[in-house]
Amino acid sequence: MERRPARGHRNIPHTADVRIEAWAPDREGCVAEAVTALVDTFVDTTGAAAGGETAFRVPPGADTDLLVGVLDEVIFRMDTAGELPLETEVRAADDGGLAVRWRTTGTDAVELVGAVPKAVSLHELCFAAESVGWRCAVTLDV
């Protein structure tokens, strides 16, 4: 059996939409990997340079709500500001939410390679601690 790295992500075959899986030793690292997985489904960021920085907070909630809040923010900022995260840092906030910081690039600086996600689906959403860290699986509506 092949061992997976301690932190990473992948696309999972899915019939009509896009499904991603991410994992990391901790909850916040798993959320950051899920952001990278989402972006990797539809753009090639090779050669793109970060030209901006964005910070935001996700209010306290269930772990799945926190994950969806961050992923929804990726789609929202892509649609409204034309920016995508190249690097993601996620920290637990004192109030139980998440503090997120992105180094960003413009959507015009990346190459489109797949269907652009329109929303995060709540169907078959999972985000939980496992014996070796945290794992999530998310379906993206395209």
Side-chain angles (χ1 to χ4, degrees):
M1 185 161 125
E2 183 180 326
R3 289 181 48 130
R4 70 180 185 195
R7 183 177 174 134
H9 61 271
R10 67 181 179 142
N11 289 351
I12 301 169
H14 195 268
T15 53
D17 295 315
V18 174
R19 189 146 171 93
I20 58 172
E21 180 181 20
W23 59 91
D26 56 36
R27 180 183 74 160
E28 292 76 18
C30 190
V31 171
E33 279 297 327
V35 169
T36 302
L38 184 156
V39 172
D40 285 354
T41 66
F42 69 101
V43 295
D44 179 2
T45 60
T46 304
E53 191 170 294
T54 300
F56 66 97
R57 295 176 73 83
V58 178
D63 291 329
T64 53
D65 294 338
L66 297 173
L67 173 64
V68 170
V70 173
L71 297 179
D72 278 343
E73 192 72 15
V74 173
I75 295 168
F76 174 76
R77 293 200 187 237
M78 175 188 59
D79 288 343
T80 62
E83 66 182 22
L84 289 169
L86 291 178
E87 298 173 24
T88 302
E89 175 188 320
V90 181
R91 291 182 301 102
D94 292 338
D95 64 1
L98 295 176
V100 181
R101 182 174 307 280
W102 286 329
R103 294 195 63 218
T104 61
T105 192
T107 53
D108 57 348
V110 295
E111 180 181 348
L112 187 66
V113 295
V116 177
K118 301 296 181 204
V120 177
S121 173
L122 301 180
H123 181 70
E124 297 183 342
L125 173 69
C126 70
F127 184 39
E130 297 182 332
S131 62
V132 294
W134 283 74
R135 186 184 73 81
C136 69
V138 179
T139 301
L140 305 170
D141 295 332
V142 294

